[in-house]
Amino acid sequence: MIYAASGLQGEPEAEFYRSIYSTLMGWPPDSQGHRQYREFAERRWSLIKQYGGTPESLLEIGAGFGDFLALARKEGVRLIYGLEPGNVQREYARREYQFSEEVLSPEPFTAETRVPFAPRVIVLFHVLEHLSQPGELLRNIARCIAPEGLLVLEVPDLRADWKELNLLQFHVGHRSYFTEATLTNLLRSSGLRVEHIQKEPDGIYHGNLRVFARPATDDGVRIPVDLHADLRYMRGQLQPASLRNGYPRAFIRLLRFALQ
């Protein structure tokens, strides 16, 4: 992993995701934004269904506005459960999709979390990069997932072509970044075996890394990581003086958030 910032801890971190993060993201989104989230959900569901069929049970960690959970319910998943700390996102999901707290909980996913069933599929879309200890979350997932279950996760790909995004690749809410190799190694050391990796040039992020993994008793052989090569790649992508997407725009953007 490459850590971008130490970030908040404890209650300040919890409060950030409860109430401040939605302001940072400009939420709630307009109708076009919600339409885009639904399109993301449909695309993800189609890929998961192609890969493993329709599961009987599904857990989403970081359920957002509930679009993916709602689609899974519509597509015939019998047991669904979601975790979403954000007040704005959770309230929208309850209003739009009639999710109760029994379906969409505000609690974080920890070793003490008790999901009401052993999920056949667990999904977390752009959650892992927000965590100070992503390996801890993955170990907890390996503990609670069904023996033949499937984990599907997405993160930004640090080895993608993100020149157009530039410094905005390093979102203020992100704590760590991954490449295919570092994410594979982290999953292996957490009790999960990578079966398939997809790379997208666009997706929800510039350079989207999607991984399909299953529980494993053996963490396998670790992939060698050339950290110096990763850093050279990052430097080659960055153009910090750019007026369009370098430090000046990042400063204006953060100032606008601070005023809000």
Side-chain angles (χ1 to χ4, degrees):
M1 291 171 289
I2 295 175
Y3 288 96
S6 57
L8 301 171
Q9 299 287 343
E11 180 55 28
E13 180 183 29
E15 177 60 22
F16 175 79
Y17 283 107
R18 273 197 301 267
S19 58
I20 299 172
Y21 186 69
S22 58
T23 300
L24 186 71
M25 298 297 290
W27 288 338
D30 57 19
S31 58
Q32 181 178 353
H34 277 302
R35 185 165 58 251
Q36 186 178 46
Y37 287 128
R38 292 187 185 104
E39 289 172 358
F40 284 143
E42 290 169 359
R43 182 176 184 180
R44 287 162 168 163
W45 175 257
S46 175
L47 291 167
I48 291 172
K49 189 174 180 179
Q50 289 173 26
Y51 190 81
T54 299
E56 181 184 73
S57 56
L58 182 143
L59 164 66
E60 182 172 15
I61 301 171
F65 295 100
D67 301 299
F68 186 83
L69 279 180
L71 181 59
R73 179 177 61 186
K74 179 182 176 183
E75 291 290 324
V77 180
R78 189 172 65 85
L79 299 172
I80 60 170
Y81 192 67
L83 299 165
E84 175 49 58
N87 294 333
V88 170
Q89 301 94 297
R90 212 168 52 254
E91 288 168 8
Y92 177 90
R94 289 174 180 170
R95 183 177 65 253
E96 182 73 13
Y97 300 118
Q98 290 76 56
F99 286 145
S100 66
E101 191 163 312
E102 286 70 35
V103 175
L104 189 59
S105 168
E107 298 303 315
F109 189 71
T110 67
E112 286 71 44
T113 301
R114 291 295 173 260
V115 179
F117 50 84
R120 294 288 298 182
V121 171
I122 297 179
V123 299
L124 54 157
F125 303 123
H126 290 268
V127 171
L128 207 64
E129 64 267 28
H130 289 266
L131 305 179
S132 59
Q133 298 294 332
E136 181 178 329
L137 173 69
L138 294 174
R139 287 189 293 274
N140 291 338
I141 287 173
R143 169 186 57 81
C144 84
I145 197 170
E148 297 300 320
L150 177 67
L151 168 66
V152 184
L153 66 86
E154 292 179 11
V155 295
D157 183 4
L158 195 64
R159 276 288 195 159
D161 183 2
W162 39 267
K163 281 183 180 178
E164 289 299 313
L165 196 62
N166 201 13
L167 283 177
L168 296 183
Q169 167 82 356
F170 299 97
H171 190 277
V172 69
H174 291 179
R175 307 287 287 275
S176 53
Y177 288 82
F178 306 89
T179 66
E180 179 179 345
T182 62
L183 185 56
T184 298
N185 288 339
L186 181 62
L187 285 160
R188 284 177 174 173
S189 66
S190 303
L192 296 154
R193 179 187 75 255
V194 173
E195 285 194 344
H196 183 57
I197 293 180
Q198 296 174 340
K199 292 188 173 186
E200 296 176 321
D202 44 20
I204 194 172
Y205 219 70
H206 283 242
N208 197 45
L209 192 61
R210 183 182 298 107
V211 176
F212 297 79
R214 295 191 188 274
T217 55
D218 182 7
D219 65 5
V221 179
R222 294 177 65 83
I223 299 175
V225 175
D226 187 343
L227 183 59
H228 294 291
D230 288 337
L231 291 173
R232 285 196 299 272
Y233 184 85
M234 289 169 61
R235 293 190 184 106
Q237 295 278 301
L238 285 170
Q239 298 172 325
S242 169
L243 294 176
R244 186 165 64 87
N245 55 17
Y247 281 126
R249 184 180 174 191
F251 171 77
I252 293 170
R253 188 168 184 253
L254 288 172
L255 179 62
R256 186 173 70 248
F257 291 144
L259 292 174
Q260 291 174 349

